Amino acid sequence: MTTSWITRPETTADLAQIREVNLAAFPTPHEADLVEALRADQQAWIPGLSWVTEAPDGSIAGFALLTRCHVDGSPALTLGPCAVQPEHQRRGAGAAAIRAALDAAREQGENLVLVLGHAEYYPRFGFTPASGHSIRPPFDVEDKYMMALVFDPSLPVPSGTIRYPAAFGV
């Protein structure tokens, strides 16, 4: 079944439902707690880069978050957590939230987004292995899972080690 999803930036009225989506989508509260810790981190949080997908009944079906990270000393964004209520999974709710968040980041003048995730899923948004830009995570992970998306390849792309917000604990 195909659904036309409505996406929009989160509002304060959405915070409890965003937590519920993350709690439902993951086996532990780690991601839900991470979202709240990132929201409280003034160095990481960027207004307008937390997006939700509304279900036809107006409830929150999906969620995608971009926060500030750095590659060596240069600013970049990290994508995640992303979550979808189980009853809406595999129907485009997550992809809609991710696309909306990425579009908002591009409109805000960002150029580099990093994601640690499924190598089969994120390339559909334009992500490629970060190693192709000489970007590496601060931990060991198979190359195909650490990906980068550059909006404008004519602009300089930093290389080096990713420095995540403190809430990620890495």
Side-chain angles (χ1 to χ4, degrees):
M1 173 185 359
T2 302
T3 302
S4 290
W5 298 104
I6 295 171
T7 57
R8 60 176 175 74
E10 76 169 33
T11 67
T12 54
D14 298 324
L15 302 187
Q17 279 192 73
I18 289 170
R19 182 167 179 81
E20 289 173 20
V21 169
N22 279 279
L23 289 171
F26 296 102
T28 72
H30 175 76
E31 284 80 4
D33 294 344
L34 176 58
V35 170
E36 292 179 1
L38 288 166
R39 192 178 284 117
D41 182 346
Q42 295 179 2
Q43 306 297 307
W45 190 259
I46 302 171
L49 294 185
S50 177
W51 281 72
V52 297
T53 306
E54 288 186 2
D57 68 1
S59 66
I60 304 296
F63 170 74
L65 177 61
L66 292 165
T67 52
R68 175 69 63 218
C69 69
H70 291 84
V71 175
D72 283 347
S74 299
L77 296 174
T78 185
L79 173 60
C82 300
V84 176
Q85 280 283 8
E87 66 268 24
H88 296 294
Q89 290 177 358
R90 303 194 190 293
R91 293 171 53 201
I98 291 168
R99 282 192 184 94
L102 292 172
D103 288 345
R106 186 181 298 111
E107 289 171 16
Q108 288 189 21
E110 298 290 341
N111 195 44
L112 176 62
V113 180
L114 303 164
V115 67
L116 175 63
H118 296 284
E120 301 78 33
Y121 183 73
Y122 289 100
R124 74 186 67 186
F125 304 103
F127 285 91
T128 60
S131 61
H133 300 283
S134 298
I135 297 170
R136 62 195 167 281
F139 44 78
D140 288 333
V141 64
E142 195 173 335
D143 189 57
K144 67 181 181 178
Y145 298 117
M146 187 75 250
M147 292 169 272
L149 171 62
V150 177
F151 294 129
D152 184 350
S154 72
L155 296 174
V157 177
S159 61
T161 302
I162 304 164
R163 183 170 41 88
Y164 286 95
F168 281 94
V170 294

